[in-house]
Amino acid sequence: MDKQYLYEKYEMIVGLEVHAELRTASKIFCACSAAYGGKPNTQICPVCLGVPGTMPVLNGQAVRFAIAAGLVTDCTIARRTHFDRKHYFYPDLPKGYQITQYDEPLCTGGFLTVETETGERRIGITRIHLEEDAGKLTHDGGVTKIDYNRCGVPLIEIVSEPDIRSADEARAYLRTLRERLVFAGISDCRMNEGSMRCDINLSVRLRGTTSLGVRTEIKNVNSIAFAGKAIVYEFARQTEILEAGGEITPETRRYDEASGTTVLMRKKESAADYRYMREPDLPALRITKAEIGEIRASLPMMPDAYRRAFASAGVSAQNAQRLTETPAVAAYFSRVAELFEAVETAANLLIGEAFPEGEDAPALPAESLSRIAQLQKEKKITAASARKLVALCADGSDPDAVAEREKMFVMTDEGEIEALVREAIAENPDVVRQIREGKEKAKQVLVGVVMKKSGGRADASVTRRLVDAACAAAGTIC
Ligand code: ZN
Ligand code: MN
């Protein structure tokens, strides 16, 4: 069904809340391991289980990562901040409250510039605060199991301004945020493992009006693609209710992957329901200018800066995008780009023949890739040989030595090629007769024979010229 008229009549107002787990070794308020995937309930202690009388001790690395998150999103970092308790009951939260930040978040007032289908957009970031994760419930054949390993894993919550106007913008924002957090080493942002999760706040209003409609919240969407689909569905659901004369009610929903719809979870709580209060067991947190400066100085290059550098070195936009999917590949390729100017040739070889799995760096040494690209660019080896050489040198072998051994260097000696042309003519009288009868195309057969005899090493344009010359000469003789 065509819903285009709904998009013409209404606009969506979307804000995103992203939770990202920080890459600390231990949890935020105790020394338990924060690693993902451990045997259930083996990474727990009285502190993260919320046993009365235990005291939280703040993990300094979690604070440094949260500050770094603020810096890569252009936020202002608070010099003084504190923690609060947010009370609610749920079986995955044994303390009965979450330690979080309410009225004085660590980072405020940032933004991300994102690349959408219709150009660049600037999406505001209201705040980033530090908090603890809850445990994990697994519903399994009528039984619910609880794993408390995730209790107390440090999280940042990144709240955007309601600046997003389409599913495409939401996806672009999430992609940009994710790559910055990953490149800065703050979070691995594996949405499939729950280390990055997204809540969507969405309302609609008639185009041309400025008041905000009633919003709904879609909780814990666990992929960027699903976030886009949830937004498209929820926009349609709300506008259809309004078109039918109904009203939107504030509620918390979830995205159902199987049906591609959003489903009601509960009517929405308000801040008052959480009974926020100052966390009495943690002192106020003071952050010095020097500490912020140190974190800023330690930040690695961001993916968009890599893309700009690769583009100015002559790499296509599409390749630059692929080369900045992981920090390891981006850092590797910037070394390749320093070594020789054939960077687009090197990019094509890397992407086509030697792209690493997962988050690893390529096995082929950067110097080897650069040298192979240089040999290809200078036409000393063919493109096919270059591709083969990439595979043969992954073990660290020297490209020049392997090319020599595998007889890959292009034959440039005309005398040598001429000898092969004479052989080809002598061995293929039928083809020569066809050429004499005017079948120009048959010359290509002779070129093919010479290429084959040379093992693909004869320079194709030289071969073609020598075949032409030989045929002309043969024509006059016969
Ligand atoms: Zn613990
Ligand atoms: Mn939160």
Side-chain angles (χ1 to χ4, degrees):
M1 187 175 119
D2 182 25
K3 304 243 175 71
Q4 196 49 46
Y5 72 98
L6 292 174
Y7 281 92
E8 280 154 20
K9 184 167 175 184
Y10 296 93
E11 75 174 339
M12 67 172 81
I13 311 294
V14 177
L16 298 178
E17 292 174 22
V18 172
H19 285 91
E21 285 182 354
L22 302 176
R23 283 183 54 185
T24 54
S26 57
K27 294 187 180 181
I28 185 167
F29 299 123
C30 63
C32 291
S33 166
Y36 175 83
K39 195 167 170 289
N41 299 309
T42 57
Q43 295 160 203
I44 52 175
C45 76
V47 175
C48 53
L49 287 179
V51 175
T54 56
M55 294 285 268
V57 178
L58 181 60
N59 181 338
Q61 185 57 47
V63 178
R64 286 189 285 276
F65 279 149
I67 292 171
L71 294 176
V72 298
T73 51
D74 270 278
C75 284
T76 303
I77 312 299
R79 301 287 301 282
R80 195 194 142 93
T81 180
H82 69 267
F83 289 91
D84 301 278
R85 291 184 179 182
K86 177 183 182 180
H87 297 87
Y88 63 98
F89 169 77
Y90 207 62
D92 64 11
L93 187 73
K95 279 209 296 279
Y97 60 86
Q98 178 193 31
I99 301 180
T100 179
Q101 298 191 281
Y102 182 48
D103 54 344
E104 274 190 340
L106 183 57
C107 319
T108 50
F111 68 92
L112 282 180
T113 303
V114 309
E115 203 65 56
T116 72
E117 286 162 4
T118 50
E120 262 187 13
R121 279 270 285 136
R122 180 177 161 136
I123 310 292
I125 289 178
T126 316
R127 58 186 283 161
I128 301 177
H129 66 252
L130 194 53
E131 61 185 26
E132 59 182 333
D133 209 345
K136 193 172 161 56
L137 301 183
T138 315
H139 308 286
D140 181 10
V143 180
T144 296
K145 296 170 180 171
I146 310 180
D147 177 7
Y148 287 121
N149 283 354
R150 206 173 69 182
C151 264
V153 168
L155 284 180
I156 44 173
E157 181 177 327
I158 303 136
V159 182
S160 87
E161 290 289 311
D163 287 345
I164 295 164
R165 293 290 175 273
S166 69
D168 172 51
E169 285 180 17
R171 284 191 300 262
Y173 170 83
L174 290 171
R175 273 198 308 271
T176 306
L177 177 61
R178 181 178 188 281
E179 68 178 14
R180 293 184 89 81
L181 296 180
V182 168
F183 270 67
I186 294 165
S187 170
D188 56 31
C189 292
R190 293 190 186 123
M191 294 190 83
N192 58 332
E193 291 180 1
S195 67
M196 176 172 164
R197 319 187 288 265
C198 170
D199 302 340
I200 301 161
N201 287 294
L202 187 149
S203 64
V204 300
R205 68 181 172 203
L206 287 170
R207 282 192 185 275
T209 61
T210 52
S211 63
L212 289 173
V214 175
R215 68 188 164 94
T216 60
E217 182 175 16
I218 307 161
K219 278 279 186 199
N220 283 335
V221 180
N222 65 2
S223 94
I224 293 177
F226 289 154
K229 288 179 182 170
I231 287 169
V232 169
Y233 178 83
E234 186 62 13
F235 174 79
R237 190 188 72 84
Q238 290 191 16
T239 50
E240 279 164 16
I241 289 173
L242 295 174
E243 286 290 280
E247 270 179 21
I248 311 297
T249 50
E251 53 195 34
T252 300
R253 304 178 68 86
R254 69 180 173 81
Y255 179 67
D256 182 64
E257 294 161 21
S259 62
T261 64
T262 64
V263 184
L264 178 67
M265 286 168 75
R266 54 182 183 262
K267 298 290 173 187
K268 199 150 174 54
E269 305 85 353
S270 67
D273 297 328
Y274 290 124
R275 294 274 164 172
Y276 278 101
M277 59 175 268
R278 244 341 230 271
E279 168 56 59
D281 291 340
L282 288 167
L285 189 60
R286 284 172 191 285
I287 297 153
T288 65
K289 233 178 174 167
E291 284 166 332
I292 297 169
E294 227 168 83
I295 294 165
R296 191 189 297 278
S298 73
L299 287 174
M301 193 153 151
M302 288 290 109
D304 48 329
Y306 274 117
R307 282 194 288 272
R308 280 194 298 275
F310 293 166
S312 66
V315 177
S316 68
Q318 195 188 347
N319 280 350
Q321 187 64 43
R322 185 94 170 94
L323 293 170
T324 49
E325 278 173 16
T326 66
V329 171
Y332 171 91
F333 197 75
S334 72
R335 282 219 316 286
V336 173
E338 281 167 14
L339 294 167
F340 187 69
E341 77 244 14
V343 281
E344 181 67 343
T345 307
N348 286 328
L349 285 171
L350 178 62
I351 290 166
E353 309 301 319
F355 208 78
E357 293 280 317
E359 285 147 36
D360 295 336
L364 180 71
E367 295 71 22
S368 304
L369 175 59
S370 172
R371 177 65 183 153
I372 295 167
Q374 180 176 12
L375 291 173
Q376 182 185 337
K377 179 109 180 190
E378 291 172 353
K379 294 196 165 32
K380 290 183 176 153
I381 60 174
T382 63
S385 295
R387 288 195 294 272
K388 266 186 244 158
L389 205 47
V390 164
L392 291 171
C393 294
D395 60 359
S397 303
D398 174 55
D400 287 272
V402 176
E404 187 65 53
R405 188 189 74 210
E406 299 292 320
K407 301 197 183 348
M408 285 174 168
F409 284 114
V410 169
M411 218 181 249
T412 46
D413 181 345
E414 293 204 6
E416 237 179 306
I417 300 173
E418 217 171 345
L420 294 177
V421 171
R422 277 197 299 274
E423 275 179 45
I425 288 174
E427 290 164 12
N428 294 276
D430 290 355
V431 180
V432 174
R433 201 185 54 242
Q434 286 175 24
I435 295 168
R436 265 209 303 269
E437 286 164 3
K439 281 185 86 176
E440 271 289 307
K441 275 188 185 158
K443 280 182 187 168
Q444 200 49 45
V445 178
L446 290 183
V447 173
V449 171
V450 173
M451 292 305 283
K452 197 168 172 194
K453 280 177 177 289
S454 73
R457 291 155 58 224
D459 183 282
S461 61
V462 173
T463 304
R464 174 83 213 191
R465 179 162 53 74
L466 293 176
V467 165
D468 278 345
C471 288
T476 57
I477 292 163
C478 302

